[in-house]
Amino acid sequence: MKIQVKTLAATDAGEIELSEAVFGKELRLDILHRVVTWQLEKRRGTARKARERSDVARTGKKLGNQKGGGTARHGNRAAPQFIGGGKAHGPRVRDFNPSLNKKIRRLGLATALSVKAQEGKLIVVEDLVLGEARTKAFLVALGNLGISSGLFIDGGAVDAGFAMASANVPHIDVLPAIGANVYDILNHDTLVLTRAAVTALEARVNG
């Protein structure tokens, strides 16, 4: 499929041919769900394990007489109510490192790119170079392109001035092509790719 290429000033800069194998996939909600769930699961940090009753080294000697002492009938210093005792129902180490094969991850990325293309929310620009690296100039570019929530993806590396100018703007994220992911693509209303990003993403999906 062909799509019009624009500049950050919203002027025409030619056309680009998009691969049907990357930007023309059918909608697969099951694949998108699997990949997004995998991404969010990978973000979770592992909790530190607390020492429970069986993990602390405390005496098991009976603290006092069974009767007549005027105190409770304790028989172990490792009980949670004692200082130095084990934690009751403490956090335990759990594995938040699921696996998902590369074929599904590539299919998920291609499906997310196709969703944006089919919805008409994909914009291809020549590059991400501003005249001056200032937020004011970046906001003008957003107005020209009609973007309020967008993900900008560049090729090998994002232009430093563009990244600096967009850093404090809400609902805007900037990534290199290697960092493109399903969750961020779906989490923004508009997807903006450079020519270099299109080439890099097509190479990445096609292995």
Side-chain angles (χ1 to χ4, degrees):
M1 71 178 74
K2 285 188 177 181
I3 189 172
Q4 192 72 34
V5 180
K6 298 182 178 181
T7 65
L8 291 178
T11 59
D12 291 339
E15 292 183 337
I16 189 170
E17 183 74 30
L18 300 181
S19 171
E20 289 286 344
V22 179
F23 294 91
K25 293 284 187 183
E26 63 174 329
L27 176 61
R28 290 284 304 272
L29 292 178
D30 57 325
I31 296 297
L32 294 177
H33 179 267
R34 285 183 65 182
V35 177
V36 170
T37 302
W38 169 76
Q39 277 189 245
L40 297 181
E41 192 81 351
K42 292 279 283 186
R43 287 185 180 185
R44 297 184 65 178
T46 303
R48 290 183 58 191
K49 180 181 182 300
R51 294 199 305 165
E52 298 189 343
R53 185 165 178 165
S54 61
D55 300 319
V56 297
R58 302 287 282 172
T59 181
K61 179 182 177 182
K62 193 168 179 63
L63 274 63
N65 294 331
Q66 176 76 0
K67 296 189 177 188
T71 58
R73 298 164 290 185
H74 293 298
N76 196 320
R77 280 285 183 186
Q81 61 265 40
F82 292 120
I83 294 175
K87 175 74 174 176
H89 311 296
R92 297 178 178 178
V93 176
R94 292 186 291 167
D95 179 25
F96 298 129
N97 190 25
S99 62
L100 190 66
N101 62 58
K102 288 183 179 180
K103 183 177 180 181
I104 299 297
R105 284 185 279 173
R106 286 174 183 163
L107 179 57
L109 180 59
T111 304
L113 293 171
S114 301
V115 167
K116 291 300 181 184
Q118 293 165 13
E119 291 178 347
K121 296 181 179 179
L122 172 65
I123 298 175
V124 179
V125 296
E126 189 67 31
D127 52 43
L128 296 181
V129 178
L130 293 170
E132 51 181 347
R134 300 186 63 183
T135 302
K136 185 176 181 180
F138 176 71
L139 292 176
V140 170
L142 288 183
N144 293 335
L145 297 173
I147 297 173
S148 57
S149 169
L151 175 65
F152 290 78
I153 300 180
D154 205 345
V158 179
D159 179 74
F162 187 88
M164 187 183 303
S166 62
N168 293 328
V169 181
H171 312 299
I172 299 294
D173 283 313
V174 182
L175 293 172
I178 193 66
N181 62 86
V182 174
Y183 178 79
D184 282 330
I185 291 173
L186 298 179
N187 199 37
H188 293 81
D189 186 58
T190 306
L191 175 63
V192 183
L193 305 178
T194 63
R195 284 184 182 269
V198 170
T199 302
L201 288 173
E202 288 180 351
R204 179 175 160 188
V205 171
N206 292 325

